[in-house]
Amino acid sequence: RQYGGETFHLQISKELRSITDCLNYIHQNYSEPLTVDKLSAYLNVSRSTFIRHFTQICGCSPHQYILDYRLKKAKEFLEILLFSLPMQ
């Protein structure tokens, strides 16, 4: 018997691929203005569906993820800058 488990698995895989695509987009464009509306349009899904799937898969809201990623990149930049300064 088939209980629809395969269909459920395919749906989860599709959602995961979509969010993975979105994460790649965020990583490549984090210095640009990014909004939930822009990201949901990028994936061609509704705003509420995007937020729900993103939060389920990533464990935080898209907005929080973007803020955290930007802070991480800023920290990396400052560390590189600090280590490139001449020692006195």
Side-chain angles (χ1 to χ4, degrees), residues 34-42 47-48 50-51 62-63 66:
L34 295 173
T35 63
V36 169
D37 290 332
K38 187 175 194 172
L39 295 172
S40 61
Y42 174 75
R47 187 178 202 278
S48 59
F50 170 68
I51 292 170
H63 180 73
I66 293 166

Side-chain angles (χ1 to χ4, degrees), residues 1-68:
R1 291 199 253 178
Q2 187 170 4
Y3 296 98
E6 184 175 321
T7 303
F8 176 75
H9 177 72
L10 291 174
Q11 182 64 30
I12 294 297
S13 295
K14 180 183 175 198
E15 292 164 4
L16 184 58
R17 277 193 309 275
S18 293
I19 297 303
T20 300
D21 289 346
C22 180
L23 291 173
N24 288 331
Y25 183 83
I26 291 170
H27 295 171
Q28 293 171 2
N29 299 284
Y30 69 91
S31 61
E32 303 296 324
L34 295 173
T35 63
V36 169
D37 290 332
K38 187 175 194 172
L39 295 172
S40 61
Y42 174 75
L43 295 178
N44 198 29
V45 296
S46 73
R47 187 178 202 278
S48 59
T49 297
F50 170 68
I51 292 170
R52 185 176 64 252
H53 290 167
F54 191 99
T55 303
Q56 287 173 342
I57 291 170
C58 296
C60 64
S61 70
H63 180 73
Q64 187 63 52
Y65 184 89
I66 293 166
L67 288 176
D68 290 345

